[in-house]
Amino acid sequence: MKNVQSIFDKVAVCLSTICVIHCIGLPILLVLLPGLSMIPGVETASCCPHGDETVAFFSMANFHMLMVLAVVPSSAYALITGYIQHKRFPVVFVGLAGVTTLAVAAILGVKVLGADAERALTVAGSTTIACAHIWNFSLCRKCEGCTTEKCASS
């Protein structure tokens, strides 16, 4: 059970990192490599969060919603099973706050929030989720081989 939980913690951290790279790295990449927009058969994406110049190939309109759909179950499983081991509710609360922030950014999107606010919320939510999972993983490693009562009191 602990191995599966640690795998889900790591998956959630990776997904959060991918989100941050997508939101911050993609615009930088497109500025540095403007030739990417010249790839034959690749359309610009007027619906994407990074503006009209963003190449659709690199910025799917549904990227954030897909990430939320991947992050929510992996985070829920890892944080709940972690809580069962270490009994630290603040870890779950921080993770829930991050998932909520990420979901709000994905659901409201650029059209409601604007590109900068959507990007800021996505990065904040992803970073918060990653921090919660690193904290959860750390607490669960400390619980290795001990009983629930000992973990809760340490």
Side-chain angles (χ1 to χ4, degrees):
M1 184 77 134
K2 285 185 179 185
N3 289 336
V4 175
Q5 179 272 324
S6 69
I7 289 169
F8 274 89
D9 271 330
K10 292 172 186 174
V11 165
V13 170
C14 288
L15 290 172
S16 295
T17 303
I18 290 168
C19 236
V20 171
I21 290 170
H22 176 262
C23 286
I24 294 175
L26 183 64
I28 293 169
L29 179 68
L30 291 173
V31 168
L32 296 175
L33 302 171
L36 290 176
S37 63
M38 306 310 269
I39 297 172
V42 177
E43 305 169 19
T44 58
S46 60
C47 61
C48 293
H50 306 296
D52 292 340
E53 303 82 32
T54 305
V55 180
F57 179 77
F58 292 102
S59 182
M60 303 179 314
N62 296 324
F63 179 81
H64 291 112
M65 194 57 71
L66 291 172
M67 291 304 290
V68 168
L69 292 175
V71 166
V72 168
S74 61
S75 290
Y77 181 81
L79 293 172
I80 290 169
T81 57
Y83 174 77
I84 291 168
Q85 291 177 37
H86 55 66
K87 302 288 190 224
R88 302 276 170 79
F89 185 73
V91 177
V92 177
F93 180 76
V94 170
L96 183 61
V99 168
T100 301
T101 304
L102 189 65
V104 165
I107 292 166
L108 296 180
V110 176
K111 292 185 179 175
V112 174
L113 298 171
D116 292 339
E118 186 267 347
R119 190 174 297 124
L121 280 175
T122 300
V123 170
S126 296
T127 303
T128 304
I129 292 166
C131 290
H133 283 286
I134 291 168
W135 188 13
N136 191 52
F137 181 74
S138 172
L139 288 172
C140 288
R141 286 189 74 185
K142 288 179 184 176
C143 286
E144 200 72 41
C146 70
T147 65
T148 305
E149 294 85 38
K150 286 182 186 174
C151 291
S153 63
S154 62

